[in-house]
Amino acid sequence: MGGLGLTFDGLDVASLAFLLPSVTEKWDLTSAQTGILGSSTLIGYLVGALLAGIVGDRAGRRRVMMWALALYSSATLVAAFSPGWEFFFGARVLAGVGTGAESVIIPAFLSEFAPGRLRGRFVGGLAGFFSFGYVMAALLGRYVVPATDNGWRIVQIICALPVLMLLWWRRSVPESPRYLLAAGREADARKVVEDLEAQASAALGRSLPPVPVRTTTADPVSAVPPAPPPRPASTVLQGLAALWKGELARRTAPLWLLWLVITFAFYGFFTFIPTLLAKEGLTITKSFDYAIVIYLAQIPGYYVAALLNDVLDRKWTIATCLGGGAVSAGLLSTSGASGQVMLYGAMLSFFMNGVYASIYAYTPEVYPTALRARGMGAASAFGRVGGIAAPLVIGSAYPVLGFAGVFVMTAGALLVGAITVLAFGVSTKGRTLEDITEPSDVPLDPSPAESSRVAPASGRRRP
């Protein structure tokens, strides 16, 4: 369910790149106006990502998912009937608020269900659903947009269809039990977990093994009381300020830089690749054919990185993919033949999306439950500054720097990111969320080897 949400988020964001040539021609836009339209979704994305984190930690992950889906579907439908580029810009900003909220709340939400030993693979694979949306956008751009003068409007209507998923989500999506505990709703959290256990038992055809119970009371650690569950910050400013205190500040700073770098490179590349290819002499149809190949390379990029997340650790996977992306961008800057552009563009697509498979898994892990959605949303929102700037910078720089200069700039940004994560990244491989972000003298989620340790003095089992 979460993966489908991200698929349509990717479709909605990526489709804009294929609409720009048509709407530019229709409304006779200048390069600057095209650049502004190229940034429209990202402007909304920034607002949506930040709001989703704030609201998700205060009102719940599930509620944000529902409202975000409804907003972006509605705004995309409205965009299909735009009478002018200014109206289209406003509708795309609103759609971006919905996609921004959805894209950060879903990984934060589902990371709270995944076990530590598989979380990198699970959330990285979840992020891979973005790539299906991008491929769908490329296919619609190739076959629907050029079909009629109003092809770009038809694509917007198609992008609004995910609103139908609300009928499914309302019945089937549970709230995160970690959020419920942090909000003091223990009974609701217990019900969610018991329902999941019942579903697992039914799927296996047998009862689940019991959770190990600590039975002895001799160990001195028994005197340590369980840590109280974290509660959401009381105000928005306090919540955001908490991301910059103590240990969290040392995690937030490199994370925000990573998001800025990869989002600048990603949206600069994917928003303008059809337009850049056309300016290099390819027809619009041919440039869209090349874009399909480049977009298809996203899929193995996501899933190779998702597998490496739990092998190399997230920080090393991120650094490897950033380095590979920098090399690819450098090769792209020197490519001459159109076939080389397609090959090196596909390589750059592979590595940049590998970064996303890791950073979507990595970001929620380094924040405690009470700040997890907010930390994810704030980092993603700050990254969108790079996404907003990319079309404007590239649209302005292309006449001066040319095709090669644009990708030299991209390579430099990716190298900065690789150095940052290696120098300041936190290791999260195989660790529980509590071990990474909410340590205490008594483990909240003991491994089997620790199951013989004693219970707290109260005799109550830890959740």
Side-chain angles (χ1 to χ4, degrees), residues 216-296:
T216 65
T217 57
D219 194 294
V221 77
S222 63
V224 180
R231 299 190 66 82
S234 58
T235 70
V236 171
L237 292 179
Q238 286 177 344
L240 294 178
L243 303 178
W244 290 94
K245 292 182 179 178
E247 174 62 25
L248 287 184
R250 291 188 287 274
R251 300 181 179 195
T252 297
L255 258 181
W256 282 27
L257 180 60
L258 277 176
W259 274 97
L260 182 72
V261 163
I262 186 58
T263 308
F264 175 87
F266 183 89
Y267 283 101
F269 178 63
F270 281 108
T271 299
F272 266 90
I273 191 61
T275 304
L276 290 176
L277 289 173
K279 287 184 177 181
E280 287 300 297
L282 298 178
T283 64
I284 291 293
T285 299
K286 191 70 172 177
S287 71
F288 282 4
D289 286 338
Y290 277 33
I292 291 172
V293 175
I294 291 170
Y295 279 38
L296 281 170

Side-chain angles (χ1 to χ4, degrees), residues 327-337 340-341 344 403-405 407-408:
V327 170
S328 302
L331 291 171
L332 197 54
S333 72
T334 62
S335 59
Q340 290 179 331
V341 172
Y344 299 145
F403 190 84
F407 290 104
V408 168

